[in-house]
Amino acid sequence: MSQETWDAVDDYLAATLVKADAVLEQALAASQAAGLPAISVSPPQGKFLHLLARVQGARNILEIGTLGGYSAIWLARALPPGAGRLVTLEVEPKHAEVARANLARAGFAHVAQVRLGRAVDSLAELEREGAGPFDFVFIDADKPSNPDYFAWALKLTRRGAVIVVDNVVRGGEVADASSTNAAVQGVRRLNAMIAAEPRVSATAIQTVGVKGYDGFAVALVVS
Ligand code: SAH
Ligand code: DHB
Ligand code: MG
């Protein structure tokens, strides 16, 4: 199996099942035009997140790592019409600005809040404000901080909430305990933490597609 095959299948799935629309395509185009890195979730992955949030019945969604707001649009579309909100955290001013414009064009100016700053600071702020509990959290920022973000996600959620973490396989490197890659070690520490955490039931799923070989961790808050 090659990247070429994964790309072709992702294109096929996007064309048949996902039917990405003009708003999402424009969000990607605006992100690219502004020079943002092309590391958003893929269209099938975006819809996967959207469906998970809908299955959960999420009304209060938290995202850590906004980039241009592509995954945020998919998640905001999972909220019940006219109800619910999404808070998404971003440290780069340019990313936040592009995301705000993309979310506004998608019709979510008053539903989605892009908070600028280091995620750990914004998370502490959200706690002080009593912004939780969140029903659904998507963690997709700097990978070495994954254990901190997961701890915050647990603090800011309730029983029944779902926590999803992106990029937990990293081309298979996650299985290499001796990896010197800080992102890989972040994921391994995250997994050790999840394994020792009685409040969640979790798994991880490997994925291939236009983003290469990677994966998602999914945790259900059970108590
Ligand atoms: N979820 C997005 C992709 C996010 S890429 C999507 O799928 O569309 C990761 C983002 O996390 C980048 O925009 C990066 O600037 C941001 N980021 C990195 N470190 C961060 C930090 N410490 N606090 C908040 N955001 C951070
Ligand atoms: C990178 C970050 C991501 O969140 C992702 O999905 C893919 C790549 C990166 O930093 O390279
Ligand atoms: Mg990612």
Side-chain angles (χ1 to χ4, degrees):
M1 282 304 146
S2 64
Q3 182 63 53
E4 202 182 318
T5 308
W6 303 342
D7 289 350
V9 173
D10 246 359
D11 288 348
Y12 161 74
L13 295 176
T16 51
L17 297 176
V18 181
K19 300 188 183 76
D21 50 82
V23 167
L24 286 165
E25 273 155 27
Q26 207 190 346
L28 289 179
S31 300
Q32 193 185 4
L36 272 49
I39 55 175
S40 307
V41 294
S42 69
Q45 291 175 336
K47 188 156 183 187
F48 175 70
L49 294 172
H50 164 89
L51 291 170
L52 278 182
R54 274 176 68 183
V55 167
Q56 203 285 334
R59 290 176 162 262
N60 203 10
I61 298 178
L62 173 64
E63 177 178 71
I64 307 175
T66 315
L67 193 64
Y70 181 80
S71 54
I73 293 172
W74 273 115
L75 289 171
R77 285 181 173 179
L79 294 166
R85 70 164 189 150
L86 177 141
V87 179
T88 179
L89 313 182
E90 176 56 56
V91 75
E92 292 290 340
K94 186 168 79 169
H95 298 184
E97 184 190 322
V98 172
R100 284 187 186 118
N102 282 334
L103 283 159
R105 265 195 301 270
F108 297 118
H110 301 289
V111 171
Q113 181 191 54
V114 181
R115 281 206 187 202
L116 181 61
R118 291 171 60 223
V120 284
D121 299 332
S122 299
L123 288 160
E125 218 173 76
L126 288 169
E127 187 190 35
R128 282 196 298 274
E129 290 168 15
F134 291 95
D135 312 308
F136 190 96
V137 183
F138 179 46
I139 299 175
D140 190 20
D142 52 313
K143 313 310 173 190
S145 301
N146 271 341
D148 297 332
Y149 297 152
F150 194 81
W152 272 112
L154 271 181
K155 244 188 228 183
L156 294 172
T157 50
R158 57 168 181 82
R159 187 160 66 90
V162 172
I163 303 168
V164 179
V165 187
D166 194 20
N167 310 116
V168 299
V169 173
R170 306 308 295 225
E173 219 184 317
V174 70
D176 176 10
S178 66
S179 169
T180 54
N181 182 334
V184 169
Q185 288 304 336
V187 173
R188 291 184 62 91
R189 286 205 316 282
L190 167 75
N191 286 335
M193 186 177 158
I194 291 175
E197 177 52 69
R199 284 175 291 171
V200 301
S201 179
T203 190
I205 287 293
Q206 306 181 63
T207 59
V208 293
V210 295
K211 304 261 336 252
Y213 170 35
D214 216 321
F216 290 110
V218 179
L220 174 67
V221 180
V222 292
S223 71

